[in-house]
Amino acid sequence: GESVGLHLPTLSVQEGDNSIINCAYSNSASDYFIWYKQESGKGPQFIIDIRSNMDKRQGQRVTVLLNKTVKHLSLQIAATQPGDSAVYFCAENPSQAGTALIFGKGTTLSVSS
Amino acid sequence: KAGVTQTPRYLIKTRGQQVTLSCSPISGHRSVSWYQQTPGQGLQFLFEYFSETQRNKGNFPGRFSGRQFSNSRSEMNVSTLELGDSALYLCASSKGQTVNTEAFFGQGTRLTVV
């Protein structure tokens, strides 16, 4: 079936570096995307979202980029901190699926100081 | 503003038993979705309820069921538990008035089937 996937299962960076986490999606009907952060023992935490009529959205230290041509989504974290260490998931919402989200497998971000 | 509350946090059940998990959404949110998270399959959508009606359903057997009450609280039930049902069960709430709205997750219920 169609699903969201991630390019790398793990990413290790140094504190202060910028991090880029990538995600590929295959459902062309998806028109809403969310990035979540999940820390050990906790539920996913909403980071930022983007709709298909946009190609970029910025939040506090985070930027999401959407390239619909190649069905690619990325999350950029500026000045990565140890507290950013977690598993990051991208999720897509096909327009016909209500609020159901299809999640990728996740990328584990490790930040060393 | 209180977040999404799931109870219990941890649960141990025996194969063949049934279990009921509870989710209280954020105040004002009318949509509740349930997800199963396992190391092998990741996060998978179970079903979604909006205004007491199941609006969407994932690809899970009929042993998995749910309901939503008039106050938007939701329960999910798993009957005839199998070892493979061991997972973190997550509930997400959203305003749900239209599609494509932010969904906020609870801490989850860790179910272990022995």
Side-chain angles (χ1 to χ4, degrees):
Chain A
E2 294 177 303
S3 64
V4 175
L6 285 167
H7 294 304
L8 290 174
T10 61
L11 177 65
S12 297
V13 300
Q14 292 285 324
E15 182 178 2
D17 286 352
N18 295 330
S19 302
I20 299 176
I21 300 173
N22 295 306
C23 174
Y25 68 94
S26 59
N27 191 332
S28 57
S30 292
D31 54 7
Y32 180 59
F33 305 87
I34 307 177
W35 279 100
Y36 285 94
K37 170 187 179 183
Q38 187 174 26
E39 296 173 285
S40 181
K42 297 185 178 180
Q45 175 188 354
F46 177 94
I47 301 174
I48 191 167
D49 59 359
I50 189 166
R51 302 186 191 285
S52 59
N53 61 351
M54 305 170 70
D55 53 22
K56 180 180 180 178
R57 190 160 189 231
Q58 289 184 292
Q60 188 175 17
R61 279 201 308 119
V62 295
T63 300
V64 55
L65 299 177
L66 175 63
N67 185 329
K68 293 181 288 293
T69 303
V70 295
K71 297 192 183 76
H72 184 267
L73 194 68
S74 68
L75 177 70
Q76 300 177 0
I77 305 174
T80 313
Q81 303 167 1
D84 294 327
S85 295
V87 181
Y88 289 80
F89 294 94
C90 65
E92 63 179 310
N93 175 224
S95 57
Q96 73 277 18
T99 57
L101 296 171
I102 301 171
F103 282 84
K105 293 293 186 183
T107 290
T108 300
L109 175 65
S110 299
V111 183
S112 52
S113 52
Chain B
K1 190 170 174 180
V4 180
T5 303
Q6 291 188 246
T7 57
R9 288 292 311 277
Y10 303 93
L11 207 50
I12 300 176
K13 289 286 187 179
T14 304
R15 272 184 303 174
Q17 287 186 313
Q18 72 166 16
V19 66
T20 299
L21 312 181
S22 179
C23 172
S24 293
I26 293 170
S27 178
H29 284 194
R30 294 164 62 189
S31 169
V32 173
S33 299
W34 288 90
Y35 293 81
Q36 181 195 66
Q37 185 174 28
T38 59
Q41 298 299 317
L43 277 148
Q44 293 186 290
F45 171 73
L46 280 156
F47 30 65
E48 181 217 356
Y49 286 87
F50 178 78
S51 293
E52 302 179 66
T53 300
Q54 189 179 85
R55 188 161 67 173
N56 207 352
K57 189 177 188 304
N59 190 25
F60 276 82
R63 299 185 297 108
F64 292 82
S65 62
R67 60 178 175 169
Q68 187 180 34
F69 302 96
S70 58
N71 61 358
S72 293
R73 190 178 70 86
S74 178
E75 289 180 346
M76 69 162 281
N77 183 276
V78 188
S79 62
T80 319
L81 283 165
E82 301 176 0
L83 295 178
D85 296 332
S86 294
L88 180 66
Y89 289 89
L90 292 157
C91 161
S93 83
S94 64
K95 291 181 180 177
Q97 292 168 335
T98 59
V99 298
N100 303 348
T101 57
E102 297 174 15
F104 298 92
F105 282 84
Q107 299 273 56
T109 293
R110 172 74 62 185
L111 171 65
T112 301
V113 182
V114 297

